[in-house]
């Protein structure tokens, strides 16, 4: 139990640290739940919704050229739940945290509290069954998280 509490507290602390290095772009005013899968393709655009339950498959962090598997840090029970009203619930299977989210193009914002800069992610992949997000682009620490839809 202490390990899960410690892991969740560490996740929150890392999120707060990443928040300080997030970009200064204003997030969209309301959740836009769909992004095109192939924006520069000659194929017709297909849109998939981010709304729903997503379970973590793998998390990695690229730090100074070294890739580290962070999956155990988050646990295999880590989930993101995107609701239509802009609520985001993060869960490790024991603890839950509620915040807000917005999606503007491929820029996904996790808004932990009003008045605090959001944690910014770039949506790399969004299909009907998979989601891949990246945080820290252009910094020394790039975290990539891959999810599947439940």
């Amino acid at each position: 139990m202490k390990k899960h509490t410690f892991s969740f507290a560490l996740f929150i602390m890392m999120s707060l640290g990443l928040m300080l290095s997030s970009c200064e772009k204003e997030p969209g005013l309301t959740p836009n739940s769909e992004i095109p899968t192939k924006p520069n393709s000659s194929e017709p655009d297909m849109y998939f919704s981010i709304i729903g339950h997503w379970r973590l498959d793998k998390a990695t962090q690229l730090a100074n050229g070294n890739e580290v598997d962070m999956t155990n840090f988050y646990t295999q029970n880590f989930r993101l739940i995107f609701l239509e009203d802009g609520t985001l619930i993060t869960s490790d299977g024991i603890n839950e945290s509620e915040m807000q989210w917005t999606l503007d193009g491929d820029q996904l914002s996790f808004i932990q509290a009003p008045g605090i800069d959001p944690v910014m992610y770039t949506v790399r992949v969004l299909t009907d069954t998979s989601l891949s997000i990246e945080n820290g682009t252009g910094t020394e620490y790039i975290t990539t998280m891959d999810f599947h839809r439940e």
Side-chain angles (χ1 to χ4, degrees), residues 1-60:
M1 181 70 165
K2 287 183 180 181
K3 182 180 178 185
H4 290 290
T5 303
F6 175 76
S7 295
F8 188 72
L10 191 57
F11 165 73
I12 295 298
M13 287 176 23
M14 284 183 62
S15 296
L16 291 173
L18 292 173
M19 198 172 12
L20 297 174
S21 65
S22 66
C23 55
E24 296 181 21
K25 181 181 174 187
E26 286 293 318
L29 297 176
T30 59
N32 175 2
S33 61
E34 300 175 340
I35 63 171
T37 57
K38 297 181 181 182
N40 296 325
S41 172
S42 61
E43 298 176 23
D45 286 342
M46 293 186 65
Y47 292 89
F48 297 100
S49 176
I50 198 168
I51 294 171
H53 296 241
W54 299 91
R55 182 187 289 254
L56 181 69
D57 289 324
K58 184 175 183 180
T60 58

Side-chain angles (χ1 to χ4, degrees), residues 35 54 58 106 108 121-127 130-134 144-148:
I35 63 171
W54 299 91
K58 184 175 183 180
D106 66 351
L108 179 61
Y121 288 87
T122 300
V123 177
R124 295 292 179 207
V125 173
L126 176 58
T127 69
S130 63
L131 170 66
S132 180
I133 59 177
E134 183 178 278
T144 303
M145 301 174 80
D146 299 320
F147 297 87
H148 70 272

Side-chain angles (χ1 to χ4, degrees), residues 27-129:
L29 297 176
T30 59
N32 175 2
S33 61
E34 300 175 340
I35 63 171
T37 57
K38 297 181 181 182
N40 296 325
S41 172
S42 61
E43 298 176 23
D45 286 342
M46 293 186 65
Y47 292 89
F48 297 100
S49 176
I50 198 168
I51 294 171
H53 296 241
W54 299 91
R55 182 187 289 254
L56 181 69
D57 289 324
K58 184 175 183 180
T60 58
Q61 187 170 69
L62 184 62
N64 300 319
N66 297 314
E67 186 171 276
V68 178
D69 186 347
M70 301 291 291
T71 308
N72 288 334
F73 170 76
Y74 292 99
T75 77
Q76 285 294 331
N77 293 320
F78 185 76
R79 290 182 182 94
L80 297 176
I81 303 167
F82 294 92
L83 303 177
E84 288 185 46
D85 68 356
T87 300
L88 171 65
I89 299 169
T90 61
S91 172
D92 65 2
I94 297 171
N95 301 300
E96 286 188 355
S97 178
E98 188 174 305
M99 59 187 85
Q100 297 297 305
W101 67 275
T102 63
L103 181 60
D104 185 12
D106 66 351
Q107 295 302 296
L108 179 61
S109 304
F110 289 6
I111 306 160
Q112 296 179 349
I116 296 177
D117 288 339
V119 178
M120 300 298 295
Y121 288 87
T122 300
V123 177
R124 295 292 179 207
V125 173
L126 176 58
T127 69
D128 60 340
T129 59

